[in-house]
Amino acid sequence: MRHLAPLGLRTRLIAAFLLVAAISAVSTAALTYQKARTAILTQSQDTAVSTLRDQLEGQTLALPVEQHQLQRLVNEIGKRGKPHPWVVFGEYGTLRASSNVTPATSAVLTDRLRRQVAAHPHGAFQRVQDARGETYLTIGMPAVFSPAGASDRPTGVVLYAVMPLNAEEQTVDAMVEAARQGALPGLAIAVVPALLAARSVLRPVRDMRRAATHLGRGRLDTRIEVRGSDELAGLARTFNETARALEESVAELREAEVRARRFASDVSHELRTPLAGMLAVTEVLDEDAGQLDPDTAKALRLISAETGKLAVLVEDLMEISRFDARAAGLNLDDVDIAEAVGKTLERRHWDDGRVTADLPEGIRARLDPRRFDVILANLVGNALRHGSAPVRISVRTRPRPDGERLLIEVTDSGPGIAAEVLPHIFDRFFKADSARTRSAGSGLGLAITLENVRLHGGTLSAANAPAGGAVFTLDMPLEATA
């Protein structure tokens, strides 16, 4: 059955059904053969033993027995063999006689039979095979006399009857051949119920597989028709109950997610207007901070910094809301990568030696310039803020079967990223240092970066360089599609 394991369930069910049918047929045939053979041979040997005993009891012997008397005795009994003709041998001391002119059959008389006859006054028998493989029944019977009032006493005369069992063997062989010839059509007929049984089992299995596939593709309203009341029907009912519970749970989760997204979006929009006013006021107050006393100026600058952080957080939340609502799109344009990277560094004043770039000339890509600027700015800013200068930017291309790809690596000179932090580095609001709850970042920068990369059809991964420092690898197509 291990060899059938890679095959389909239908093949295994049919094979198992036929195997059971074959084992049943062989077992029945073997038992029938054994019982029939025993019955046929037992009947023949009982008839032969009874006949020899009756014939011997009907004979009159005068002791001591002479050669001619012994010969006459074996000739008389040799004519009355049942159920088949037999050859009779007589032994009396040194005298020997046979009912056959060529007593070659005496070779099947064994010493074991002679010992059994000597030990049992009522005789013994054996089934033996000669050198040619033919089966014989050999019977040994001592002649006894019974004086008045006394037990049987041996006369010294022993008769042996040898009867071939060819007819019985042929009958048994015919039964075996009939069983063999009937087994093949029986197995062929057994294929029909095997196919029906396999179909009755495989149909609900196929239905369940199809339903599971639909369920995995998001069709949570998928149900299975329940047929019957067996174990497969129970499994179908359990599947339907599970699918129904899953549909209700997913619907509740989707509603909760929609409410959460709407809440974040609404809050961000509502905060945007007052924050704009607060930023304008803090800018005016910052200009006059030098004329105030030190404590008031310090408090003013703190309010201004926190207002700026809140404004960044609101903008990030609005951006995340657009991604969640799938409202974010690409405004594609042909961009020179070296020029775009240079502009990003120049706008943020990172061209002062803290960031070095390996920018091959001539690499052009079709992408969204604004989102590409956000991607690069977040990666470099994160490297400078949480790593250490200098930060290295490496740009290159790599051919792929599905088209040429743009590879950008941003490597810092810091201690790297802790192993327990790596799996969560792109999670929203995740900060590597839990104690730094008031850090300048919102915890959404890398999450927004990842969403922008995915929007371009690319991937973003984080790792540690062998020589130390964190490495962020951006892999995206040169030709993005909107």
Side-chain angles (χ1 to χ4, degrees):
M1 295 300 291
R2 287 197 301 268
H3 297 291
L4 293 176
L7 302 178
L9 184 59
R10 177 190 295 273
T11 303
R12 283 183 281 168
L13 284 174
I14 295 176
F17 195 94
L18 293 181
L19 181 61
V20 172
I23 292 175
S24 302
V26 171
S27 302
T28 303
L31 184 61
T32 303
Y33 164 76
Q34 182 182 8
K35 295 295 183 181
R37 184 175 186 274
T38 302
I40 292 172
L41 294 179
T42 300
Q43 182 180 5
S44 297
Q45 70 191 20
D46 289 347
T47 302
V49 171
S50 177
T51 300
L52 180 60
R53 181 179 292 111
D54 293 342
Q55 292 295 325
L56 187 56
E57 290 176 353
Q59 299 295 325
T60 303
L61 294 175
L63 300 176
V65 179
E66 301 293 338
Q67 177 67 41
H68 69 278
Q69 190 180 5
L70 182 62
Q71 186 64 51
R72 180 187 60 79
L73 177 63
V74 298
N75 288 339
E76 287 293 329
I77 296 178
K79 296 176 183 179
R80 297 179 175 86
K82 289 182 180 180
H84 306 297
W86 55 27
V87 178
V88 179
F89 300 92
E91 296 181 356
Y92 179 74
T94 59
L95 300 181
R96 300 289 184 269
S98 172
S99 64
N100 194 345
V101 178
T102 57
T105 315
S106 62
V108 298
L109 298 176
T110 63
D111 294 336
R112 178 186 175 189
L113 178 63
R114 287 186 170 88
R115 289 193 298 270
Q116 289 178 342
V117 172
H120 299 84
H122 298 291
F125 63 88
Q126 280 185 339
R127 288 196 298 268
V128 296
Q129 285 186 338
D130 62 4
R132 295 175 296 177
E134 296 182 358
T135 304
Y136 291 89
L137 174 64
T138 60
I139 308 171
M141 190 75 64
V144 298
F145 69 95
S146 302
S151 60
D152 294 340
R153 295 182 180 180
T155 61
V157 177
V158 180
L159 296 184
Y160 297 96
V162 179
M163 183 179 68
L165 296 177
N166 295 334
E168 286 78 5
E169 292 293 336
Q170 290 175 0
T171 301
V172 173
D173 291 342
M175 293 175 60
V176 173
E177 184 62 25
R180 184 185 299 114
Q181 292 179 356
L184 293 178
L187 289 177
I189 295 174
V191 173
V192 177
L195 290 173
L196 295 177
R199 181 182 180 186
S200 64
V201 173
L202 291 178
R203 178 186 296 169
V205 173
R206 284 196 300 267
D207 293 343
M208 193 165 299
R209 182 183 65 180
R210 190 181 303 112
T213 301
H214 292 165
L215 200 65
R217 292 175 179 173
R219 295 174 55 181
L220 302 181
D221 58 342
T222 302
R223 300 293 184 270
I224 301 176
E225 181 181 355
V226 180
R227 302 184 182 93
S229 58
D230 56 5
E231 290 81 358
L232 290 174
L235 183 60
R237 281 191 289 271
T238 302
F239 179 90
N240 290 340
E241 293 171 1
T242 304
R244 187 177 299 107
L246 180 62
E247 183 180 16
E248 294 174 357
S249 299
V250 171
E252 293 176 0
L253 289 174
R254 286 175 177 172
E255 291 177 1
E257 184 180 6
V258 169
R259 288 194 299 268
R261 289 175 180 174
R262 186 182 300 114
F263 174 78
S265 178
D266 292 345
V267 168
S268 301
H269 279 287
E270 292 298 327
L271 289 176
R272 195 174 188 181
T273 300
L275 275 175
M278 292 173 64
L279 286 173
V281 171
T282 55
E283 287 178 1
V284 173
L285 293 176
D286 282 341
E287 293 178 357
D288 299 332
Q291 302 175 6
L292 302 175
D293 62 89
D295 291 338
T296 304
K298 183 178 179 180
L300 180 60
R301 292 190 181 93
L302 178 60
I303 292 174
S304 178
E306 293 299 323
T307 304
K309 291 179 183 179
L310 184 58
V312 171
L313 177 59
V314 169
E315 290 296 328
D316 288 346
L317 284 174
M318 292 184 64
E319 185 72 4
I320 285 292
S321 299
R322 283 191 286 269
F323 282 118
D324 289 342
R326 290 176 172 76
L330 294 177
N331 296 316
L332 299 178
D333 195 6
D334 289 330
V335 175
D336 183 284
I337 298 299
E339 181 180 349
V341 173
K343 288 182 178 179
T344 298
L345 300 180
E346 183 180 354
R347 288 192 195 101
R348 291 161 180 83
H349 308 290
W350 291 336
D351 52 355
D352 55 359
R354 291 180 296 168
V355 180
T356 62
D358 179 13
L359 305 174
E361 298 293 334
I363 298 179
R364 300 190 66 83
R366 184 168 179 78
L367 45 78
D368 187 321
R370 184 186 69 83
R371 295 189 182 278
F372 182 74
D373 177 74
V374 171
I375 293 171
L376 193 60
N378 282 343
L379 292 178
V380 175
N382 185 79
L384 290 172
R385 188 163 49 250
H386 300 292
S388 178
V391 174
R392 296 176 298 278
I393 302 175
S394 173
V395 178
R396 66 182 188 276
T397 59
R398 181 168 61 184
R400 290 278 186 85
D402 56 346
E404 199 167 11
R405 310 281 293 189
L406 173 65
L407 294 180
I408 299 178
E409 289 184 353
V410 178
T411 307
D412 63 44
S413 301
I417 305 173
E420 65 273 10
V421 173
L422 272 175
H424 309 284
I425 197 70
F426 296 108
D427 292 352
R428 297 178 183 182
F429 298 106
F430 178 80
K431 295 183 180 182
D433 187 358
S434 58
R436 296 173 60 191
T437 56
R438 301 295 298 166
S439 61
S442 64
L444 293 174
L446 289 180
I448 292 174
T449 302
L450 180 61
E451 294 293 343
N452 278 310
V453 172
R454 288 175 176 171
L455 202 60
H456 283 84
T459 60
L460 181 62
S461 61
N464 289 314
V471 180
F472 287 85
T473 303
L474 168 64
D475 183 347
M476 56 188 292
L478 283 177
E479 295 286 338
T481 55

